[in-house]
Amino acid sequence: MERWESVASANPILRFVDAVLRGFGQVMFQNSPITGLFFLAGLFVGGWEFGFYALFACVASTGTAYWLGVPQDAIGAGLYGYNGVLVGVALAFYLDDSWMLVPYVLLGAFAACIASAAIGNLLGTWQIPALTGPFVVTIWLFALGIYGFSQVEAGPNSQAPALPTLMESGRASLNFTNFYEGLFKGVSEVFFQNSIWVGIIFLIGIFLSSQIDTAMALLGSLIGLSAGWFLGVDQNSLALGLMGYNGVLTMIALAGLFYELDASSIIVAAIAVIVSVVVAIALTAFTAPYGAHIYTAPFVLTTYGFIAAKPFLHRLRAVAPADASTPEGEINLYRRVHWWAKKKG
Amino acid sequence: MERWESVASANPILRFVDAVLRGFGQVMFQNSPITGLFFLAGLFVGGWEFGFYALFACVASTGTAYWLGVPQDAIGAGLYGYNGVLVGVALAFYLDDSWMLVPYVLLGAFAACIASAAIGNLLGTWQIPALTGPFVVTIWLFALGIYGFSQVEAGPNSQAPALPTLMESGRASLNFTNFYEGLFKGVSEVFFQNSIWVGIIFLIGIFLSSQIDTAMALLGSLIGLSAGWFLGVDQNSLALGLMGYNGVLTMIALAGLFYELDASSIIVAAIAVIVSVVVAIALTAFTAPYGAHIYTAPFVLTTYGFIAAKPFLHRLRAVAPADASTPEGEINLYRRVHWWAKKKG
Amino acid sequence: MERWESVASANPILRFVDAVLRGFGQVMFQNSPITGLFFLAGLFVGGWEFGFYALFACVASTGTAYWLGVPQDAIGAGLYGYNGVLVGVALAFYLDDSWMLVPYVLLGAFAACIASAAIGNLLGTWQIPALTGPFVVTIWLFALGIYGFSQVEAGPNSQAPALPTLMESGRASLNFTNFYEGLFKGVSEVFFQNSIWVGIIFLIGIFLSSQIDTAMALLGSLIGLSAGWFLGVDQNSLALGLMGYNGVLTMIALAGLFYELDASSIIVAAIAVIVSVVVAIALTAFTAPYGAHIYTAPFVLTTYGFIAAKPFLHRLRAVAPADASTPEGEINLYRRVHWWAKKKG
């Protein structure tokens, strides 16, 4: 890895490739090209169109950022790629495949780049990271295009508009197969992939960058699934991991990344995951008249809230977005700071 | 009262009780345990479930704030309780009563605590108070749970989703009974209570803390009711006080609390109350596809707007949230400051 | 013009007339009373009610700002008039004409004034101009009044609530007449006017203040129309200029006003116009359950985003809202600054 970094930094093309791969990794907060490579591979396993449009959009968004003069360190860390990746995958997932998808994804990737800078600037005032908020804003706008553009057509995964309806009573009866399917699909659904194997490839990718985050990803999926079952979400959503993927991201973000890893941050993150399940159901109802597509909005809104609260939560040790790396890295940093403090003291 | 304060401050349990009671009082901006006690009593008069869940949620939200290390003075003033109070009452009002309501209200109270810190931090940038914004955000998310959770069921007060429909022409014909019912129920509806007597208990509670705010509460209810009648709101909504409760809160907030009491602030607050009636109707239409529940959102949005404008409104004397107490307290403060200025000058 | 300015500044009544006329001009960013006079004339050509209510609301909003003690330079530049102008026109366009429109427009103008101060304060934190955001917020609230106020009735231009529907396939076949109609109506629709002649009067008005902005207005309308056609918007919307008016405003705002005029800002603005077409379609779907009225929200949201991104877009030279005038003025300023820098250097 160190060898790649020295090679990549010396060559502008490899540096760009590195930035693009890190863009994939940043979808789950991993600033690592090798993790990004696994994520890209997982998408191609899920379907060629997911891999292709994700790569195309990530290149376009990252390239746009270069052209617009965005600071190099942010681009190099993949921060102008990950929202593009998700825009590419989501448009490929929800829209009908035609050649018009190419210019539409290109425009979406450009918009995601601007949205990244804009939301980064606005939320930077409070040291809140943009997360996948730029993706959510962009995809909510672009996916609604099917209602007004004849050249942008709804694909088979796009749902029809309807008013929300009440749930009938009774809890889902999850058997063991449903359960472990839901657990791993909770990881794959971060990229809209409905596959245990893709989920496992993603987990391996995370593992190569951070073992703690791998555990947090699984824990987040588990808590989301369990909370969804307890509150009475339908069986299909549970087995597809739809109550888990926001938990995966929320757990990684709050337990060890934007709050230092300790018992308190784990408890708070676990409760945040349960809240994200409520937010997911609420947003599904809210978006029902437009097809009930919620993307990663439950994670984004929940985590924005829990990070925005940080100046008043003195039990938790908040980490500024610029200092956030991995739980392992932050623990080491924390130890070093303490060692220095002791040596000085 | 002073005796209670010295006793309460010396004992951690009484201090917590004091904070919880002030949490009730803060629903109408009264940092007073005795006012809070009247509000709590009024809720029990309205129905045991309102008193119980309000108390439970206020304790949970205040307790969460202690555990998370929120600064003591904010907790002690009841600022981490009042949004919880309203979450408890509103969930008891709109959801079906079952044992699942207990964990659901608990989760809601936790979320309200985080939302209070988050919105307080964000709006603090502009010295805008959070008001009941954290409650509105939390309840909008949690009340929509009925559309996805089989274990969270809609109660008889929950309305069915529908597209908004145009109003037929003709003004409501309010007789004297409708009129005074609407006036006092405008006060009780701040806590979702449909009762003249509960409204009177609330008014007595306010009176023990601030006589001016009692007058403002009645004036706000009156202006809201009158504006609603003039613009042509249906008779039922008027008689239930549904055009008044946002006026009660808006009038207290703007005339004497976040703007010092004078002729200008009273006029501006009165117009704001009329605007809040328009906002109430707009939000009722906006939320029609989800059951048309608007809570105190009209007050929150209107008052956010009127306070956000303050740096440019030099006719009004704005009061920073940290300095806001009661109109009486602020008048005294203002006099003292002027007395000092004269003495020095 | 200089003679008028010296006369106007000496007489309080003429100063008010000047501020009101500049309020009209500011709808398209022209701080010029003569441009404003052309805009007002164009509205009267479109229909007496548009001219009348626009003037009434502009006077009311500007007068409210005086009364509330808003700084004179902002009022004098028409910044407390233009949102009122649009509130007046839009309410006259969408609501039924009755005497109740007078107090309703008056209340709307007051609300627009408060919204201008509030949004100006909030967005000022990031040096983002309010644009017509205060208008959009106000009109969204007030236009929904038809669903709850019997005395505020929907006019013939108001559309019925519905769930969004998918577009059928096939591109519109625009002939030459449709094309130039769409081009000029794109300019007139900024004020909800469906007329080539009104569009031309508006263009003459802009031309008297800034030739470059006139070109940008036409270019924005052209790009919006073309992008809408390419993506497959229906023929009627294209011919009415409904895909162009947001482009007119977006192009003026981004190419030469809030970003200095150069090749990069023109390209970025052109892409922003295309994005505004996507936003227009998305918001049309989003507001379908409420009648699908989007006003200038696509321009506002798109341009907020592209300006919020500015600290990270080093290729573009951002202009602070307080320094923004006309492309011509900014080019001169830029030259002078460079001349100074050279002289000093």
Side-chain angles (χ1 to χ4, degrees):
Chain A
M1 273 304 296
E2 275 172 37
R3 177 124 183 255
W4 163 257
E5 281 182 26
S6 70
V7 171
S9 65
N11 178 320
I13 291 173
L14 289 185
R15 209 157 61 215
F16 188 80
V17 170
D18 185 68
V20 166
L21 289 178
R22 285 173 196 266
F24 277 85
Q26 288 283 9
V27 172
M28 296 213 213
F29 302 107
Q30 307 304 318
N31 183 4
S32 152
I34 191 82
T35 303
L37 203 59
F38 270 80
F39 288 0
L40 178 57
L43 285 173
F44 270 109
V45 170
W48 74 267
E49 69 274 27
F50 302 124
F52 172 76
Y53 282 109
L55 188 58
F56 174 57
C58 190
V59 167
S61 181
T62 305
T64 300
Y66 271 111
W67 178 68
L68 288 169
V70 168
Q72 298 279 339
D73 54 344
I75 300 176
L79 296 180
Y80 281 81
Y82 69 96
N83 288 291
V85 165
L86 289 169
V87 167
V89 176
L91 287 176
F93 183 76
Y94 285 110
L95 299 186
D96 198 37
D97 194 19
S98 80
W99 72 267
M100 272 298 291
L101 203 48
V102 174
Y104 204 61
V105 167
L106 186 64
L107 187 65
F110 184 92
C113 174
I114 296 290
S116 296
I119 293 177
N121 179 28
L122 297 181
L123 295 184
T125 304
W126 301 279
Q127 297 270 43
I128 301 172
L131 306 175
T132 53
F135 155 63
V136 170
V137 169
T138 306
I139 192 68
W140 257 340
L141 294 170
F142 277 69
L144 290 175
I146 56 173
Y147 299 116
F149 296 138
S150 66
Q151 306 302 306
V152 176
E153 291 186 77
N157 296 317
S158 192
Q159 288 177 275
L163 291 178
T165 50
L166 296 176
M167 273 291 286
E168 281 168 37
S169 60
R171 282 208 183 82
S173 53
L174 289 183
N175 58 30
F176 182 70
T177 311
N178 298 147
F179 181 78
Y180 79 76
E181 275 194 7
L183 191 65
F184 287 102
K185 288 186 177 175
V187 180
S188 70
E189 284 289 350
V190 170
F191 286 90
F192 307 93
Q193 301 302 306
N194 169 20
S195 157
I196 295 174
W197 294 112
V198 172
I200 290 171
I201 296 172
F202 290 165
L203 284 168
I204 296 170
I206 304 173
F207 193 84
L208 295 173
S209 164
S210 164
Q211 290 76 35
I212 296 176
D213 277 347
T214 316
M216 290 303 154
L218 278 169
L219 191 56
S221 184
L222 176 66
I223 295 171
L225 179 62
S226 310
W229 173 82
F230 178 73
L231 289 164
V233 171
D234 68 287
Q235 178 142 1
N236 190 41
S237 299
L238 294 172
L240 279 170
L242 297 184
M243 291 302 117
Y245 70 95
N246 290 292
V248 167
L249 293 166
T250 302
M251 200 74 200
I252 295 177
L254 295 177
L257 198 58
F258 298 111
Y259 288 115
E260 282 179 27
L261 193 72
D262 58 20
S264 299
S265 70
I266 291 175
I267 294 170
V268 168
I271 301 175
V273 171
I274 304 174
V275 171
S276 82
V277 170
V278 177
V279 177
I281 291 303
L283 290 180
T284 302
F286 182 70
T287 58
Y290 319 105
H293 305 148
I294 60 169
Y295 313 102
T296 53
F299 148 65
V300 170
L301 291 180
T302 306
T303 307
Y304 279 173
F306 275 74
I307 295 178
K310 67 181 169 181
F312 301 121
L313 311 185
H314 293 298
R315 171 172 286 271
L316 302 174
R317 288 172 296 170
V319 180
D323 300 330
S325 54
T326 56
E328 287 87 347
E330 291 174 19
I331 288 168
N332 286 337
L333 182 71
Y334 179 72
R335 282 196 189 135
R336 239 172 306 148
V337 170
H338 268 235
W339 179 82
W340 263 101
K342 271 192 193 156
K343 204 179 156 184
K344 277 188 172 176
Chain B
M1 273 305 293
E2 273 169 41
R3 178 125 184 256
W4 163 256
E5 280 180 27
S6 69
V7 171
S9 64
N11 178 319
I13 291 173
L14 288 185
R15 210 157 62 214
F16 188 81
V17 170
D18 185 69
V20 167
L21 288 178
R22 285 172 198 266
F24 277 84
Q26 288 285 7
V27 171
M28 295 211 213
F29 302 108
Q30 307 305 317
N31 183 5
S32 152
I34 191 81
T35 303
L37 202 59
F38 270 80
F39 288 0
L40 178 57
L43 286 173
F44 271 109
V45 171
W48 74 266
E49 69 274 26
F50 301 124
F52 172 75
Y53 283 108
L55 188 58
F56 175 57
C58 189
V59 167
S61 180
T62 305
T64 301
Y66 270 113
W67 178 67
L68 288 169
V70 168
Q72 298 279 341
D73 54 343
I75 300 176
L79 296 180
Y80 281 80
Y82 69 95
N83 288 290
V85 166
L86 290 169
V87 167
V89 176
L91 288 177
F93 183 76
Y94 286 111
L95 299 186
D96 198 38
D97 194 19
S98 81
W99 72 266
M100 273 297 290
L101 203 48
V102 175
Y104 204 61
V105 167
L106 186 65
L107 188 65
F110 184 93
C113 174
I114 296 291
S116 296
I119 293 178
N121 179 28
L122 298 180
L123 295 185
T125 305
W126 301 279
Q127 297 270 40
I128 301 172
L131 305 175
T132 53
F135 156 62
V136 170
V137 169
T138 306
I139 193 70
W140 257 339
L141 295 170
F142 277 69
L144 290 175
I146 56 173
Y147 299 116
F149 296 138
S150 66
Q151 306 302 306
V152 176
E153 291 186 78
N157 295 316
S158 193
Q159 288 177 274
L163 291 177
T165 51
L166 295 176
M167 271 293 285
E168 281 168 38
S169 59
R171 279 207 185 84
S173 53
L174 288 182
N175 57 31
F176 181 70
T177 311
N178 298 146
F179 181 79
Y180 78 76
E181 274 194 8
L183 192 64
F184 288 101
K185 288 187 177 176
V187 179
S188 70
E189 284 288 352
V190 170
F191 285 89
F192 306 96
Q193 301 304 306
N194 170 18
S195 156
I196 294 176
W197 294 113
V198 173
I200 290 172
I201 295 171
F202 290 165
L203 283 168
I204 296 171
I206 305 173
F207 193 83
L208 294 174
S209 164
S210 164
Q211 288 76 35
I212 297 176
D213 277 348
T214 316
M216 290 305 153
L218 278 168
L219 192 57
S221 184
L222 176 67
I223 296 171
L225 179 63
S226 309
W229 173 81
F230 179 72
L231 289 164
V233 172
D234 67 287
Q235 178 142 1
N236 191 41
S237 299
L238 294 173
L240 280 171
L242 297 183
M243 292 302 118
Y245 70 94
N246 290 292
V248 167
L249 294 166
T250 303
M251 200 74 200
I252 295 177
L254 296 177
L257 198 59
F258 299 110
Y259 287 116
E260 282 179 27
L261 193 72
D262 57 20
S264 298
S265 70
I266 291 175
I267 295 170
V268 168
I271 301 175
V273 171
I274 305 174
V275 171
S276 82
V277 170
V278 176
V279 177
I281 292 303
L283 290 181
T284 302
F286 182 70
T287 58
Y290 319 105
H293 305 150
I294 59 171
Y295 313 101
T296 53
F299 149 65
V300 170
L301 291 180
T302 305
T303 307
Y304 279 173
F306 275 75
I307 295 179
K310 68 182 168 179
F312 301 123
L313 311 184
H314 293 299
R315 171 173 287 268
L316 303 174
R317 288 171 297 169
V319 179
D323 300 331
S325 54
T326 57
E328 287 86 348
E330 291 174 17
I331 288 169
N332 286 336
L333 182 73
Y334 179 72
R335 282 197 189 134
R336 241 173 305 148
V337 170
H338 267 235
W339 179 81
W340 263 101
K342 270 191 191 159
K343 204 179 158 185
K344 277 188 173 175
Chain C
M1 274 305 294
E2 275 171 41
R3 174 119 187 259
W4 164 257
E5 281 181 26
S6 69
V7 171
S9 64
N11 178 320
I13 292 173
L14 288 185
R15 209 155 61 214
F16 188 81
V17 170
D18 184 70
V20 166
L21 288 178
R22 285 173 198 265
F24 277 85
Q26 287 284 9
V27 172
M28 295 210 213
F29 302 106
Q30 306 305 316
N31 182 5
S32 152
I34 193 82
T35 303
L37 203 59
F38 270 80
F39 288 0
L40 177 58
L43 285 173
F44 270 110
V45 170
W48 75 267
E49 69 274 26
F50 302 123
F52 172 75
Y53 283 108
L55 188 58
F56 174 57
C58 189
V59 167
S61 180
T62 305
T64 300
Y66 271 113
W67 179 68
L68 288 169
V70 168
Q72 297 280 339
D73 54 344
I75 300 176
L79 295 180
Y80 281 81
Y82 70 96
N83 288 291
V85 165
L86 290 169
V87 166
V89 176
L91 287 177
F93 184 76
Y94 286 109
L95 298 186
D96 198 37
D97 194 20
S98 81
W99 72 267
M100 273 298 291
L101 203 48
V102 174
Y104 205 61
V105 167
L106 186 63
L107 188 64
F110 184 93
C113 173
I114 296 290
S116 297
I119 294 177
N121 179 29
L122 297 181
L123 296 183
T125 304
W126 302 279
Q127 296 269 41
I128 301 172
L131 305 174
T132 53
F135 155 62
V136 170
V137 169
T138 306
I139 193 70
W140 258 339
L141 294 171
F142 277 69
L144 290 176
I146 56 173
Y147 298 116
F149 296 137
S150 66
Q151 306 302 307
V152 175
E153 292 186 77
N157 296 316
S158 192
Q159 287 177 278
L163 291 177
T165 50
L166 295 176
M167 272 293 285
E168 283 169 36
S169 59
R171 280 208 184 83
S173 52
L174 289 182
N175 58 30
F176 181 70
T177 311
N178 299 144
F179 180 79
Y180 79 75
E181 273 194 7
L183 191 64
F184 287 102
K185 288 186 177 176
V187 179
S188 71
E189 284 288 350
V190 169
F191 286 89
F192 306 95
Q193 300 303 307
N194 169 20
S195 157
I196 295 175
W197 294 112
V198 172
I200 291 172
I201 295 172
F202 289 165
L203 284 168
I204 296 171
I206 305 172
F207 193 84
L208 294 174
S209 163
S210 164
Q211 289 77 37
I212 296 176
D213 277 348
T214 315
M216 289 305 155
L218 278 168
L219 191 57
S221 184
L222 176 66
I223 295 171
L225 180 62
S226 309
W229 173 83
F230 178 73
L231 290 163
V233 171
D234 67 287
Q235 178 140 1
N236 191 41
S237 299
L238 294 172
L240 280 171
L242 298 184
M243 291 301 118
Y245 71 95
N246 290 293
V248 167
L249 293 166
T250 304
M251 200 74 200
I252 295 178
L254 295 177
L257 198 57
F258 298 110
Y259 288 115
E260 282 179 27
L261 193 72
D262 58 20
S264 299
S265 69
I266 291 174
I267 295 170
V268 168
I271 301 175
V273 171
I274 305 173
V275 171
S276 82
V277 170
V278 176
V279 177
I281 292 303
L283 290 180
T284 303
F286 182 70
T287 58
Y290 320 104
H293 305 148
I294 60 171
Y295 313 102
T296 52
F299 148 66
V300 170
L301 291 180
T302 306
T303 307
Y304 279 174
F306 275 74
I307 295 178
K310 66 182 169 179
F312 302 122
L313 311 184
H314 293 298
R315 170 172 288 268
L316 302 174
R317 289 171 296 171
V319 180
D323 299 331
S325 55
T326 57
E328 288 86 347
E330 291 173 19
I331 289 168
N332 286 337
L333 182 72
Y334 180 73
R335 282 195 189 135
R336 241 172 307 148
V337 171
H338 268 235
W339 178 82
W340 263 101
K342 270 192 193 158
K343 204 180 157 185
K344 276 189 176 176

